[in-house]
Amino acid sequence: MSQTTADDRLIVAMDVPDALAGLKLAEQLGDAVSFYKIGLGMLTGGGLALANEMKQELGKRIFLDMKLFDIGATVESAVRGLAQFDLDFLTVHGDPYVVKAAKEGAAGKEMKILAVTILTSLDRADLDGALIKPGAIRDLVQERAGNAFAAGADGVIASPQEAALIRALPEATGKLIVTPGVRPAGADVGDQKRVATPASAIADGADHIVVGRPIWKSENPRAAAQAILQELSSPQAQQPNRS
């Protein structure tokens, strides 16, 4: 198993059709990228097998983005099964009972449980349609993050626009903040509604950024990834207020 030494603050979202396309992308990116996200969309396209192969044979770090949500016993059982793959991150919804169940399922393993606050594809109108209580999204995200940390979450998923608020929480000390909705300057925002650039997301307190389409849809994915990594190494991507 080879080990990579790339900057793992960049997580590349493998939002491609199947495991073969995923392996092709990993081959194109080579040693430039060490951390990948495999989501629900690839579950029926060999996603778990791909996650295991990339972890065990290619030495990559893997973020399994399943956003689990169910009764506690079912979540605990599902997480226990997934934890056997020795992956790095797993997402669950940020409801405290879900987080607690997930932590029980991951007991004894290194896999980090990350809680979803509010999806970065949603705005206030979407929340109204889902009967979510009134309030500014940033306030609801901060509240959900605090509740998830109190329930034992190792970190949270949040828009880069809320990263600074979450990082300021006393409960966030030593916790991870992973931000999707990150787009290089000038890139198409796609279905994301709350976005930021890579450097600003890190400066605002994110530990990892997740970037998909701007990399895998590029004519030269490796060059696109390297441009983002270069931005992450710039002075603008420092965290002066990191606790």
Side-chain angles (χ1 to χ4, degrees), residues 3 13 64 66-67 76 84 88 98 108 119-120 124 128 137 143 151 162-163 205 223:
Q3 294 292 334
L64 196 63
M66 294 288 106
K67 300 182 181 71
E76 181 179 346
Q84 304 309 308
D88 296 274
V98 175
L119 298 174
T120 54
R124 185 61 249 184
D128 290 341
I137 285 182
E143 183 179 2
E162 288 100 35

Side-chain angles (χ1 to χ4, degrees), residues 67-209:
K67 300 182 181 71
L68 298 177
F69 181 78
D70 212 310
I71 64 172
T74 300
V75 169
E76 181 179 346
S77 177
V79 172
R80 183 173 292 112
L82 292 170
Q84 304 309 308
F85 289 91
D86 292 324
L87 304 178
D88 296 274
F89 295 169
L90 173 69
T91 50
V92 303
H93 275 265
D95 304 64
Y97 83 89
V98 175
V99 172
K100 290 177 182 177
K103 287 294 293 180
E104 287 292 326
K109 298 293 185 178
E110 295 297 320
M111 185 173 70
K112 303 295 186 185
I113 298 299
L114 305 182
V116 175
T117 52
I118 293 175
L119 298 174
T120 54
S121 61
L122 304 182
D123 57 19
R124 185 61 249 184
D126 297 316
L127 299 187
D128 290 341
L131 305 181
I132 303 299
K133 74 177 186 177
I137 285 182
R138 57 193 288 117
D139 296 333
L140 297 180
V141 167
Q142 188 179 43
E143 183 179 2
R144 281 180 64 80
N147 290 341
F149 289 144
D154 299 297
V156 295
I157 307 294
S159 156
Q161 296 181 12
E162 288 100 35
L165 283 175
I166 294 172
R167 183 55 69 198
L169 289 170
E171 304 94 325
T173 301
K175 302 289 188 177
L176 296 167
I177 298 175
V178 179
T179 59
V182 173
R183 295 289 185 271
D188 181 6
V189 300
D191 61 359
Q192 301 292 344
K193 296 180 179 177
R194 306 192 324 274
V195 301
T197 63
S200 63
I202 294 295
D204 284 340
D207 296 280
H208 300 274
I209 61 170

